[in-house]
């Protein structure tokens, strides 16, 4: 969407309102499914997406430089929630809960927490943005900010977590169980939409005069997650028990079992084989 006039900005704002509505609906449905694996992280992800979309709406609606800068700075509160929530959701949903430990969550959250704090206090250190100005583009006043060093640290880290969270889901895309395949495809579409949009924004490939449309792309995510929640019964029929069940069977079977890699190295044994 090329910014040709105020009507184009109005169109973006309407899309942001729709994004908030869709993400709120998906977040409420996910919240109701607690304590199913993945329900709480998906709710947090939708909260972060709603916050980001809402702050972009108010930033576009603001008239002065100070107001626009304020809404960008507070947007980081929601932005930093999204990648951590996505990884936790992916691990819980696919049954890899053994990786969800307090120390791992803390490690995942170090950079996002720092980013949230630096985003809120950016006017005092300019680590996120070096300078901020208002520029007129076809009669529309838009905020132009030069990214600082911590902006790029956060951007790269967020994209890495976004891609990392897709890895556990890839196995279920080819699953013989139609429900798991449909769920996983819907989730991947919902996850990749903002990742791709954000990458295009970072390389300046979006014709939107510096407006980051990543929050708008979460409307696709919300719709995809709504489809997974309703059509594919995301939490009613979940692959989360598969990994624990396989592990329990492996550990308790009467026969000894040894797992080898392709080079015939022993990578796992059950108690019977160990004896």
């Amino acid at each position: 969407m090329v910014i040709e006039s105020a009507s184009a900005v109005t169109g973006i704002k309407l899309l942001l309102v729709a994004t908030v509505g869709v993400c709120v609906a998906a977040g409420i449905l996910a919240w109701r499914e607690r304590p199913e694996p993945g329900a709480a992280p998906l709710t947090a992800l939708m909260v972060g997406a709603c916050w980001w979309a809402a702050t972009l709406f108010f930033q576009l609606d603001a008239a002065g430089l100070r107001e626009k800068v304020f809404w960008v700075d507070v947007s980081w509160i929601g932005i930093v929630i999204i990648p951590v929530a996505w990884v936790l959701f992916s691990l819980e949903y696919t049954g890899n809960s053994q990786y969800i430990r307090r120390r791992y969550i803390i490690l995942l959250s170090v950079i996002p927490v720092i980013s949230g704090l630096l985003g809120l206090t950016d006017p005092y250190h300019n680590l996120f943005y070096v300078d901020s100005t208002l520029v007129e583009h076809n009669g529309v006043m838009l905020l132009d900010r030069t990214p600082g060093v911590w902006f790029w640290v956060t951007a790269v880290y967020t994209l890495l977590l976004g891609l990392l969270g897709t890895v556990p889901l890839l196995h279920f895309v080819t699953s013989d169980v139609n429900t798991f395949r449909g769920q996983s495809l819907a989730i991947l579409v919902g996850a990749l939409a903002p990742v791709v949009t954000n990458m295009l924004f970072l390389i300046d490939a979006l014709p939107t005069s510096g407006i980051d449309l990543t929050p708008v792309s979460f409307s696709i995510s919300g719709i995809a997650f709504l489809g997974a929640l309703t059509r594919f019964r995301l939490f009613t029929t979940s692959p989360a028990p598969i990994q624990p069940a396989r592990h329990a069977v492996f550990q308790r079977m009467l026969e000894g079992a040894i797992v080898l890699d392709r080079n015939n190295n022993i990578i796992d044994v059950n108690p019977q084989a160990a004896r």
Side-chain angles (χ1 to χ4, degrees), residues 195-214:
V195 169
V196 172
T197 304
N198 191 243
M199 290 178 66
L200 292 174
F201 169 74
L202 292 175
I203 63 175
D204 199 23
L206 293 177
T208 51
S209 301
I211 298 178
D212 185 359
L213 293 184
T214 304

Side-chain angles (χ1 to χ4, degrees), residues 23-24 27 31 40-53 77-79 81-82:
C23 290
V24 166
W31 180 255
L42 181 57
T43 303
L45 194 157
M46 291 294 97
V47 169
C50 286
W51 183 275
W52 194 359
I77 298 174
I79 295 172
I81 293 173
I82 295 171

Side-chain angles (χ1 to χ4, degrees), residues 84 87-88 91 97-113 157:
V84 176
V87 171
L88 295 179
L91 291 175
S97 56
Q98 71 271 21
Y99 299 112
I100 302 177
R101 298 288 185 268
R102 179 177 295 180
R103 60 181 179 273
Y104 296 153
I105 296 175
I106 291 174
L107 286 174
L108 278 176
S109 305
V110 168
I111 290 181
V113 169
Y157 185 76

Side-chain angles (χ1 to χ4, degrees), residues 229-264:
L229 285 161
T230 55
R231 172 65 176 83
F232 297 109
R233 300 173 296 169
L234 180 63
F235 296 118
T236 304
T237 305
S238 169
I242 293 177
Q243 295 288 355
R246 286 178 175 172
H247 180 73
V249 171
F250 180 76
Q251 292 296 321
R252 297 175 184 176
M253 62 189 299
L254 298 177
E255 296 81 5
I258 301 174
V259 181
L260 308 177
D261 63 14
R262 293 182 178 181
N263 296 315
N264 292 326

